[in-house]
Amino acid sequence: MSDEGLDGLFTGHSVLAILRGMPVDTTVALAERAWELGVTAIEVPARDEAGLEALRATARAGAERGHPVGAGTVICTEQVRAVALAGAAFTVAPGFDAQVMAASEAAGLPHLPGVATPSDIQGVLKAGGHWVKAFPATALGTEWFRAMRGPFPDVRIVATGGMDAHNAREYFDAGARMVAVGSALADPDQIPLLAELL
């Protein structure tokens, strides 16, 4: 299910906006701004009750517009149940845990696991996935992305960690399918600049 689920959600998208740690109203307002500008892939980290509340509100707003919203920082099976009830359409994790991936997909939520090594990528492939989140991307560097294209030409990589509108292009050039932008979204100029990359 990983391939079909994330292919369906992410194909045609180049930016995943991560709306982390903001009040509910701010999260929804930023999501709406992103949707209006064509950035329609949204992740709301749900590590605590405040995150779950922001996820619920953003998922409701997205459902009204036909835009699925994912849950981020999902690192245990208990979280999978909570974010599914909150309306998440997919889950994202900072690392790879086969149990979390299996629980997420059993709940009907495609899972995007984090990777930083070839062994991580092999684990995801063995579990049936082909989409991975390279984290932290700027610490790994563009040469890591180029190097991974050799042994794993069919793996779809989302560059996450330190991404913004100014360095995204070099990661696309190095082989990233998408960039995930988080803290940079505190800058109001980022979303319009990211929209220009689409």
Side-chain angles (χ1 to χ4, degrees), residues 41-60:
I42 301 285
E43 170 196 335
V44 178
R47 288 174 295 188
D48 52 26
E49 187 51 47
L52 280 169
E53 186 181 352
L55 173 63
R56 277 190 287 270
T58 309
R60 280 196 301 270

Side-chain angles (χ1 to χ4, degrees), residues 10-168:
F10 291 162
T11 295
H13 298 282
S14 54
V15 177
L16 174 64
I18 305 172
L19 306 181
R20 177 187 296 111
M22 292 173 284
V24 173
D25 291 349
T26 304
T27 304
V28 173
L30 266 178
E32 289 174 339
R33 185 159 184 243
W35 291 326
E36 286 166 8
L37 291 168
V39 178
T40 56
I42 301 285
E43 170 196 335
V44 178
R47 288 174 295 188
D48 52 26
E49 187 51 47
L52 280 169
E53 186 181 352
L55 173 63
R56 277 190 287 270
T58 309
R60 280 196 301 270
E64 292 172 5
R65 295 160 180 77
H67 298 313
V69 174
T73 322
V74 177
I75 58 173
C76 65
T77 55
E78 291 76 18
Q79 274 184 288
V80 171
R81 289 189 283 276
V83 301
L85 290 171
F90 60 94
T91 57
V92 183
F96 170 57
D97 182 315
Q99 288 184 318
V100 171
M101 184 168 177
S104 185
E105 300 204 348
L109 306 178
H111 185 66
L112 179 66
V115 300
T117 69
S119 296
D120 292 340
I121 295 175
Q122 284 182 215
V124 174
L125 290 171
K126 185 176 180 181
H130 282 83
W131 281 89
V132 298
K133 161 185 163 175
F135 176 78
T138 51
L140 293 168
T142 54
E143 288 308 310
W144 183 93
F145 286 76
R146 290 189 176 91
M148 293 305 105
R149 287 163 66 179
F152 307 113
D154 297 324
V155 170
R156 302 155 182 92
I157 305 177
V158 181
T160 309
M163 295 290 100
D164 60 28
H166 304 294
N167 64 7

Side-chain angles (χ1 to χ4, degrees), residues 172-195:
F172 288 134
D173 291 344
R177 286 289 188 96
M178 295 176 74
V179 294
V181 180
S183 54
L185 295 176
D187 175 359
D189 293 332
Q190 279 290 316
I191 290 178
L193 290 170
L194 289 164

